[in-house]
Amino acid sequence: MGVEGIGARVARKEDRRFITGAGRYVDDMVVPGMKHAAFVRSPYAHADIKKIDVKAAEAMPGVIGVLTGKQLKGDGIGNLICGWMIHSKDGSPMKMGAWSPLAVDRVRYVGDAVAIVVAETKGQARDAAEAVEVVYKEKKAVTDAVQALKKGAPQLHPEAENNLIFDWEIGDAKATDEAIAKAAHVTKVHIVNNRLIPNAMEPRAALGHYNKAEDHYTCWTTSQNPHVARLVMSAFYNVAPENKLRVIAPDVGGGFGSKIYIYPEEIVCLWASKRTGVPVKWVADRTESFLTDAHGRDHVSEVQLALDKNNKVIGLKVDTIANLGAYMSLFSSSVPTYLYATLLSGQYDIPAIHANVRTVYTNTAPVDAYRGAGRPEACYLIERTMETAARELGMSPAEFRRINFITQFPHQTPVIMNYDTGDFGASLNAAMKEADYAGFPKRREAAKKRGKLRGIGFSCYIEACGIAPSKAVGSLGAGVGLWESAEVRVNAVGTIEVLTGSHSHGQGHETTFAQLVNQRLGVPIDSVSIVHGDTDKVQMGMGTYGSRSGAVGMSAISKALDKVEAKAKKIAAHLMEADEADIVIENGELKVAGTDKSLPWFQVALASYTAHNLPDGMEPGLKETAFYDPSNFTFPAGCYICEVEIDPDTGVTEIVQFVAADDFGNIINPMIVEGQVHGGVAQGIGQALLEGCRYDADSGQLVTASYMDYTMPRADDLPSFKVSTSNTPCPGNPLGMKGCGEAGAIGSPPAVMNAITDAIGDNDLTMPATPLKVWASLKAMTRH
């Protein structure tokens, strides 16, 4: 390991510009002649649009144009789509209701866009938006997925009877029912996974610019995958031909999945730019973000876990209802199906599994992937259920898990996934040691003397990352391949540009990707530039989500580096009159092994471009491209232990200890990995203790539409995390990496809730475990 290579704790290169305020975000972009947009949004959760009168708004100061859905449809702009086809168990395709970027005749959730106002200033646009007169006929709304399935519930889309989008299953129902029938013990659990709002630090934004002279469009947007945005906007939404559309995602202030999708606003800003003849910028305010960013989670499940007389799990039966909101977002169908149910085996050797999933329309914001995307829901379900079963059996939760661990690899689960490698016992042992699990009874007794309730909870998570290979996901309904691309350009003076289809919005790619180049070629990381986020600069790529940038994106870079290295060695061998097999690259030099002959890297690079003395038949230059499509998912795993102390008089929960023992495979930069785990655990603790999206059941109004009502975790809500890794390299990619970006958010919620329920004795407590809910639970148990 070099001081800047793989495994080194290198400070992030990109942080210099971020902490000095020099980052460049969409809201920083200024185009000559640029104007500002505001959207007219529905105040109703469900209503017919009877009339839209824009005359008063058009007459207001600074207004350039007021555009509606009828005009948008008249220009041939298409509806938003879901890009992952799911079929119900009867073979019928999912029922995708129409989602126009601007509503034409009906609105289906509070915040649904109805019109756009373009004006000289943001203030003028907002004032004029308030002057647009929309006549609505309000309809009854439904916000709860279980209620939406009932006969007589308000119907959102004519395509989906009883609001059912699809009724899907996976696994062997007959074998699972037989396991339950013959079980010595069956644990039954009702699991609720609360709805969350992403709350990325930077709100969504879009700047659309139509250049009439060149008949060309440019869109600056807060996107995690600009190439996919360009593809979808051209191929499906008819905004512009792909060769006439440039999408740029500059610095992006966090995404967590919520910026994967193409939203109405970027489509409408591009279209409005052509209609009005001016560049159009829109930046969401925080309330718009609460209302319209894709939400996450929102599952209700019934679970049965079957055990034999030796307390071995023999079957798992799951019935889940998933709320997808008012419309199907781009990848929404995959989240409660192939990203969720395929992970229900967890870390455990379960011979029979069956899951049934029903997805439902409601009068709420669309729901899609949020940090972990299906994997947190699966982990929460299985880990709360395993903890409950251990308590019912009177067993140690650690030992109950241990006797059910998968220990032989590769392991084929009953729900598609084939785990390639792992050592679940090692992570459990590491976490228990770091948490001083053996000393917990003494700590609990000491807390009791102080009038506090102390509890401890486990979570043994596994996730599938990389979201690939393309052939596999294609067979499961994905509309695109999920490979990644890279181009490595060596300049004439030896500096290097890496063009990657991955997108960085907090992950530290400018550092870790450069560390890989340093490891391979020995050049300083400051001489390596990482280029991403611009469809005119970078070859087609699939973007960043699903913890795939390392395992998939860096593997593509590694393949391109293989080609660069091979060509550089050929040139060096020719120049030094040596055998190509004897050339080695060390510390920025190409050397002839066993001799004192060497050439500095820059000299070989220069020779490739002067082309004065190249091997016969070799093309000039030193630039290579590679595409990488994985052979399997990767499977990060680990064990988290949370210890809490609760004040029974107030219900306030304090997390006094949190231990994370992860297996991420080979690690490029331990410091960045630790930061990713810290952030993920903080988000998971937020879900468990504080965050909960609430809609009014009657009106459909979002009750938690600001930080006054939606509580985010703060520093004093969190302990100092104890983070460690014990890694088994992934055999499925050239770098042995697994992914680390989502693990903290996946493993932490069940650990926290298992600890709280251990402390108070109420196993039915649901997230978020607010002080009021904990206090009320304690009082209810006291009365009984």
Side-chain angles (χ1 to χ4, degrees):
M1 181 185 79
V3 294
E4 293 184 331
I6 290 176
R9 301 177 69 88
V10 178
R12 297 192 348 161
K13 293 170 59 179
E14 50 268 67
D15 285 350
R16 185 178 294 109
R17 73 173 184 273
F18 292 139
I19 64 177
T20 58
R24 294 280 289 165
Y25 301 89
V26 173
D27 196 26
D28 295 315
M29 302 301 161
V30 177
V31 177
M34 184 183 78
K35 309 306 177 185
H36 297 269
F39 283 86
V40 179
R41 299 189 183 277
S42 170
Y44 298 106
H46 202 191
D48 290 329
I49 299 172
K50 293 301 183 180
K51 179 184 177 183
I52 302 177
D53 189 342
V54 303
K55 291 178 182 177
E58 287 177 327
M60 293 185 69
V63 173
I64 293 161
V66 183
L67 305 173
T68 67
K70 286 185 178 179
Q71 292 166 296
L72 179 132
K73 287 300 170 186
D75 286 348
I77 303 299
N79 291 329
L80 284 86
I81 63 161
C82 177
W84 196 303
M85 173 55 70
I86 298 293
H87 288 84
S88 290
K89 55 192 178 187
D90 66 3
S92 61
M94 64 190 188
K95 307 300 189 291
M96 184 163 57
W99 183 8
S100 173
L102 292 176
V104 177
D105 51 14
R106 181 175 292 185
V107 291
R108 293 179 173 86
Y109 72 102
V110 175
D112 214 348
V114 174
I116 182 174
V117 177
V118 180
E120 293 285 345
T121 69
K122 187 183 295 186
Q124 289 173 332
R126 288 180 174 177
D127 289 344
E130 292 183 5
V132 175
E133 183 183 348
V134 185
V135 178
Y136 298 96
K137 182 179 180 182
E138 190 175 4
K139 302 169 72 71
K140 288 185 178 180
V142 60
T143 61
D144 180 87
V146 175
Q147 297 301 317
L149 283 174
K150 294 180 178 178
K151 287 187 178 181
Q155 295 295 290
L156 271 75
H157 295 278
E159 299 88 349
E161 185 179 355
N162 295 324
N163 298 309
L164 180 67
I165 302 169
F166 56 78
D167 184 356
W168 174 89
E169 67 176 347
I170 191 171
D172 189 330
K174 184 172 182 288
T176 304
D177 287 340
E178 289 173 353
I180 292 170
K182 69 180 183 182
H185 179 85
V186 177
T187 292
K188 297 181 180 181
V189 187
H190 174 73
I191 298 288
V192 177
N193 207 294
N194 46 322
R195 177 184 279 237
L196 302 175
I197 298 173
N199 284 302
M201 187 177 294
E202 178 200 21
R204 288 190 297 113
L207 168 56
H209 181 202
Y210 174 68
N211 185 320
K212 185 177 181 180
E214 298 180 4
D215 188 28
H216 187 273
Y217 297 78
T218 303
C219 179
W220 288 263
T221 180
T222 47
S223 175
Q224 296 177 219
N225 47 357
H227 280 98
V228 175
R230 184 177 73 157
L231 171 65
V232 173
M233 284 196 286
S234 63
F236 297 100
Y237 304 154
N238 303 320
V239 174
E242 196 171 10
N243 65 313
K244 291 183 176 290
L245 174 58
R246 179 184 186 184
V247 177
I248 303 170
D251 289 330
V252 173
F256 312 119
S258 70
K259 294 175 182 173
I260 295 172
Y261 329 111
I262 291 80
Y263 288 88
E265 290 84 4
E266 48 260 51
I267 299 169
V268 174
C269 283
L270 280 167
W271 167 73
S273 177
K274 184 175 184 179
R275 287 282 304 214
T276 60
V278 297
V280 176
K281 180 196 278 188
W282 167 81
V283 179
D285 61 31
R286 188 54 69 177
T287 297
E288 282 183 294
S289 296
F290 274 97
L291 287 171
T292 66
D293 287 2
H295 293 177
R297 317 289 191 249
D298 206 346
H299 285 196
V300 177
S301 300
E302 303 298 333
V303 187
Q304 296 182 71
L305 187 75
L307 309 170
D308 67 13
K309 62 181 181 180
N310 297 315
N311 299 329
K312 297 275 285 183
V313 178
I314 57 173
L316 174 68
K317 187 179 182 70
V318 176
D319 182 60
T320 294
I321 297 174
N323 189 343
L324 293 190
Y327 305 102
M328 294 191 76
S329 181
L330 189 62
F331 291 120
S332 59
S333 59
S334 67
V335 176
T337 53
Y338 292 112
L339 298 181
Y340 161 69
T342 56
L343 273 300
L344 286 172
S345 191
Q347 297 187 5
Y348 311 109
D349 188 359
I350 306 176
I353 299 175
H354 180 260
N356 195 93
V357 178
R358 289 170 286 169
T359 55
V360 188
Y361 286 121
T362 64
N363 295 113
T364 62
V367 176
D368 211 316
Y370 171 67
R371 197 169 190 171
R375 282 73 53 84
E377 295 91 317
C379 177
Y380 187 75
L381 183 146
I382 190 66
E383 287 306 294
R384 289 287 291 119
T385 302
M386 291 293 286
E387 195 89 3
T388 302
R391 292 170 187 172
E392 291 176 354
L393 296 170
M395 280 190 72
S396 156
E399 294 314 306
F400 177 59
R401 286 174 168 84
R402 192 186 302 277
I403 66 170
N404 282 288
F405 276 158
I406 296 162
T407 56
Q408 300 293 319
F409 296 91
H411 174 84
Q412 178 63 55
T413 74
V415 280
I416 294 180
M417 293 300 179
N418 187 285
Y419 299 166
D420 49 14
T421 187
D423 188 344
F424 305 147
S427 295
L428 177 64
N429 292 340
M432 291 176 69
K433 182 178 179 181
E434 185 64 39
D436 183 21
Y437 184 67
F440 174 72
K442 289 184 179 179
R443 297 194 296 276
R444 170 175 264 176
E445 191 60 33
K448 184 177 180 181
K449 292 178 180 177
R450 291 183 281 105
K452 300 293 178 69
L453 303 173
R454 202 169 183 108
I456 197 164
F458 286 77
S459 172
C460 293
Y461 78 90
I462 190 167
E463 55 168 327
C465 292
I467 315 301
S470 297
K471 186 175 181 180
V473 297
S475 71
L476 300 178
V480 292
L482 294 176
W483 42 265
E484 196 47 88
S485 67
E487 181 179 302
V488 176
R489 295 178 182 172
V490 181
N491 298 318
V493 294
T495 58
I496 295 171
E497 298 169 43
V498 176
L499 290 80
T500 173
S502 299
H503 186 275
S504 183
H505 39 276
Q507 291 85 353
H509 295 172
E510 292 176 38
T511 304
T512 53
F513 289 9
Q515 285 182 257
L516 173 60
V517 177
N518 169 270
Q519 182 77 19
R520 294 289 298 273
L521 304 179
V523 298
I525 64 171
D526 284 340
S527 70
V528 180
S529 299
I530 309 300
V531 182
H532 66 92
D534 187 335
T535 60
D536 271 16
K537 291 182 179 179
V538 178
Q539 68 289 337
M540 178 74 175
M542 300 313 297
T544 294
Y545 41 85
S547 302
R548 70 193 308 270
S549 294
V552 186
M554 289 185 76
S555 291
I557 297 171
S558 181
K559 283 187 68 177
L561 285 169
D562 289 343
K563 298 177 184 179
V564 168
E565 185 177 319
K567 186 172 183 179
K569 286 181 176 180
K570 282 185 173 71
I571 296 170
H574 178 73
L575 293 175
M576 292 187 285
E577 299 180 338
D579 192 299
E580 184 185 331
D582 293 332
I583 303 296
V584 295
I585 301 177
E586 292 178 354
N587 301 320
E589 292 183 323
L590 288 94
K591 304 176 179 179
V592 181
T595 74
D596 60 357
K597 287 185 176 182
S598 67
L599 287 171
W601 171 258
F602 79 87
Q603 194 168 329
V604 175
L606 184 61
S608 75
Y609 287 97
T610 60
H612 295 160
N613 186 14
L614 294 177
D616 290 342
M618 178 179 282
E619 293 181 355
L622 195 52
K623 180 182 79 168
E624 298 289 349
T625 299
F627 288 77
Y628 177 74
D629 199 353
S631 59
N632 192 6
F633 292 87
T634 67
F635 297 98
C639 177
Y640 291 176
I641 298 178
C642 178
E643 195 167 332
V644 301
E645 202 167 89
I646 296 171
D647 185 339
D649 295 328
T650 64
V652 171
T653 298
E654 178 188 359
I655 298 178
V656 293
Q657 179 176 232
F658 197 100
V659 173
D662 296 291
D663 178 354
F664 294 137
N666 292 335
I667 289 174
I668 303 297
N669 187 320
M671 182 167 59
I672 288 178
V673 168
E674 289 164 11
Q676 287 288 321
V677 174
H678 286 190
V681 170
Q683 282 183 280
I685 289 173
Q687 176 175 12
L689 293 183
L690 304 165
E691 298 183 52
C693 174
R694 293 276 303 279
Y695 283 90
D696 182 83
D698 296 321
S699 69
Q701 294 293 327
L702 180 61
V703 178
T704 53
S706 76
Y707 290 128
M708 294 290 288
D709 301 295
Y710 189 95
T711 308
M712 297 286 285
R714 302 186 180 200
D716 61 357
D717 294 312
L718 307 171
S720 181
F721 304 125
K722 299 177 181 178
V723 175
S724 66
T725 56
S726 53
N727 300 312
T728 57
C730 174
N733 62 71
L735 298 172
M737 302 174 66
K738 294 186 179 180
C740 68
E742 299 164 297
I746 293 169
S748 54
V752 175
M753 291 304 293
N754 285 338
I756 294 172
T757 54
D758 178 54
I760 68 175
D762 178 5
N763 206 51
D764 297 325
L765 189 71
T766 59
M767 298 187 291
T770 62
L772 177 60
K773 284 170 72 173
V774 172
W775 179 85
S777 173
L778 287 167
K779 292 301 177 186
M781 287 189 292
T782 301
R783 287 195 297 271
H784 291 93

